[in-house]
Amino acid sequence: MTQSFVSRGALAACTAVLATPSFADITPADVWDSWQSYLSGFTLDMTATEQRTGDDILVTDVSISFEVPDEDGTVTITLPDMDFISRGDGTVEMKYGADMSVTARIEGEGGPDSQATIDIVPVGLSTIASGEPNDITYTYSAASLTYSVAEVLVEGAPIAEIGAQIEGDVTVTGMTGLVKIATEGLTSIQQDVRYDSMTYDVRFVAPEDDGSFVTAGTVDDLRVESALSISQDIDLENPFSIFNEELNISIEASQGASQSSMSGNDGNAPFSSESASASGSFGMLFNSDVLEASMSSFDASFNFFGEDIPLPVSGEVGEASMSFSLPLAETADPQDFFMNFAIVDAIIPDLLWNIFDPGAALERGPATISVGMEGTTKLMMGAFNPAFFESDDVPATLESLSLTDLEVSVAGAELTGAGDFTFDNTDLSSFDGFPRPEGAADFRLTGGNQLLDSLISMGLVSEGDAMGARMMMGVFTVAGPGDDELNSRLEVTGEGHVLANGQRLR
C-alpha cells in the first residue's frame, strides 16, 4: 500500500544512512517507523510504497519533497528501494535495490523540471540496525562505494544540449562506521566514519565556452566524527528557526596523505595546478554559546601555472594552520575569544627567488609567519537573535586583548612580539570612537638592518628610502644587546598617552 505523510526533514540523515550504511535491538517495523518519525517534524512531504512479508518490510518509490522558501519551486529527492529484514536476534539488516541511485528534481512553476541523478555502486555493503525504537544505531561497512554522475537535466533537456558537460565519480574504500539517531525530545545524530582511501575524478564543461576543468585526487586514512542536535520544531519556510538554544553541531575530521590536480580553461586562458600534503585536520563547534573552528595541513606542496604567469608558482609549507573561537551568547560577564594563524617553514624554490634576487643577496631559508591573539568581550545581544545582524553597530564591547604570539621570519630577519591591553568602553573620544586601550607590547627585531642593506644592493630600495626607514626605526626602537638587534616597548597609559620606549609620542 502507499502511505503519504508530512515529514520533517532530515534529508541529510536519509542520505547519510543510505550512502553510509548503518546499527538495533528492534524489529523492521521499528526501524522504518523511526525513519518516518524522524522526518515527521521538518514539514517535508514523504511518500513510499510498503510491502510486508512477515516481519520484513520492502519499501519502494521513496521520495521526499519540500518547497523552496521564497522561490517558485519544489525540490524532490528520490531514494532507492530499501528492504528492512529481521535477523532473528533483535537486529535488522537493511538492503538496497539493485539500481541504487539518488535523484534530486527541482520542479519550477510553469516550466520543465531540472534534475540530477547519482548512481551508487556498492561492493560488500553491510548495514545493521540495533537499539531501541527512538534510539537506533546503524553500523555499516563496505569494501568500496562509488558515486557517479548518471544524468543531469536542465529545464527538461540533457545538459549536453546547452553545450555543457558534467561527469565524474567518487570512490571510497575500506569504509567502516556508525550512525546513531535518537528522536525522543531533540533529534540527535552522531556519526563516526572511517575510509582507507577516497579518490575522485570530475570533469566539467560550462556552456558557450565559458570554461572547463578536470580535477582528480586521492585522500588516505580519512576519519570524520560528528554530532548534531536540533530542535524538532523547525519550520523550513523560516530557515532562521534552526538557530535556537537546542542547536549543537560538532565535527572532527582528520586525514593522511593527499594529492590533487586540476587543469582547464577559465574561458580566457588555460591553467593547471597540483597540490599534496602529508596530513591534515579540521574541527568545528557551533551552538548558541560559541563558534569555534580549526584547520591544519602539514608538509604541503603546491604548483600552479597560468598562461598569464610567466613561470610556475610553486612552494612547500611545513605547517599551515588557523583556529578561532568566538562567543555568541549574551552575558553580563566578559567572554573569552582567540584567533591563531600560522604558516611555518615556507620554502620558495630558487627558480622564483632568482627572478627578483639573481645575485642571491637575500638569505633563502624557510620563512615563517605566526600570529596569535586572545581576549575578552561582552555581547549585549546573542548572535542567534535576529536583530543581531540588523544593528548598525556591533552589539559587543572589547574588554581586553593580548598578542600571545608574533613571529615573522623571512630573508634572514626576524620580528617577534607579545603584549597585553585592556579597554575602557566608556571613553570613546580619546581614540576617535575606539575604546581607550591601556597596556604595553614588546617587540624584538633581528637582522633588520642587514635585510635593508641587501635590498639596497639589489636596487629594490633607494638610499633615501632606506635612510627614512632607519630614522623611523630610531623613533620606535632602541638597540638591543645582540648583533643587529632592535627592541621596542609600546605603551598606552590610563591617560591616553602613547609611549615608545618611555618617550611620549602622543
Side-chain angles (χ1 to χ4, degrees), residues 15-34:
T15 308
V17 172
L18 160 72
T20 54
S22 315
F23 274 123
D25 195 354
I26 42 181
T27 67
D30 291 331
V31 179
W32 175 229
D33 289 346
S34 75

Side-chain angles (χ1 to χ4, degrees), residues 331-462:
T331 63
D333 299 323
Q335 302 179 75
D336 296 333
F337 69 87
F338 69 80
M339 291 176 280
N340 298 294
F341 170 81
I343 297 178
V344 181
D345 292 339
I347 299 175
I348 300 174
D350 288 340
L351 180 65
L352 295 180
W353 273 111
N354 291 336
I355 295 175
F356 57 88
D357 184 22
L362 301 176
E363 291 189 23
R364 300 185 176 185
T368 291
I369 300 176
S370 178
V371 180
M373 294 184 292
E374 64 183 25
T376 56
T377 182
K378 289 182 182 179
L379 271 66
M380 281 78 77
M381 182 187 303
F384 279 13
N385 187 327
F388 184 92
F389 295 100
E390 298 175 359
S391 174
D392 293 334
D393 299 319
V394 177
T397 61
L398 179 62
E399 301 294 319
S400 68
L401 181 65
S402 297
L403 178 63
T404 58
D405 172 56
L406 172 64
E407 180 183 353
V408 180
S409 176
V410 61
E414 181 181 62
L415 174 66
T416 58
D420 301 286
F421 293 89
T422 58
F423 296 86
D424 184 353
N425 289 272
T426 65
D427 181 358
L428 299 178
S429 60
S430 296
F431 287 83
D432 297 326
F434 191 79
R436 177 176 53 79
E438 181 177 355
D442 295 294
F443 300 91
R444 178 175 179 266
L445 174 65
T446 61
N449 282 302
Q450 178 59 50
L451 175 59
L452 198 54
D453 290 340
S454 297
L455 294 175
I456 294 172
S457 69
M458 296 165 57
L460 297 178
V461 176
S462 69

Side-chain angles (χ1 to χ4, degrees), residues 18 29 35 105 143 150 253 258 266 308 376 379 382 406 408 487:
L18 160 72
W35 276 51
R105 184 174 69 254
S258 67
D266 63 5
D308 297 332
T376 56
L379 271 66
L406 172 64
V408 180
N487 293 322

Side-chain angles (χ1 to χ4, degrees), residues 198-215:
M198 178 179 70
T199 62
Y200 59 90
D201 189 345
V202 178
R203 175 181 175 83
F204 173 77
V205 177
E208 300 179 357
D209 297 323
D210 282 341
S212 63
F213 70 84
V214 176
T215 182

Side-chain angles (χ1 to χ4, degrees), residues 53 124 145 261 270 286-287 322 324 366 392 422-423 432 470 472 482 487 494 499:
T53 304
L145 280 173
S261 64
F286 178 48
N287 53 44
M322 183 277 291
F324 66 85
D392 293 334
T422 58
F423 296 86
D432 297 326
R470 286 192 169 100
M472 184 64 67
N487 293 322
L499 310 178

Side-chain angles (χ1 to χ4, degrees), residues 4 9 17 56 78 84 88 132 146-147 149 161 177 253 256 263 266 269 300 306 363 374 376 397 412 433 494 497:
S4 179
V17 172
D56 301 340
T78 303
F84 300 84
E132 301 176 359
T146 298
Y147 305 84
V149 179
E161 293 188 8
S263 62
D266 63 5
E363 291 189 23
E374 64 183 25
T376 56
T397 61
H497 300 160

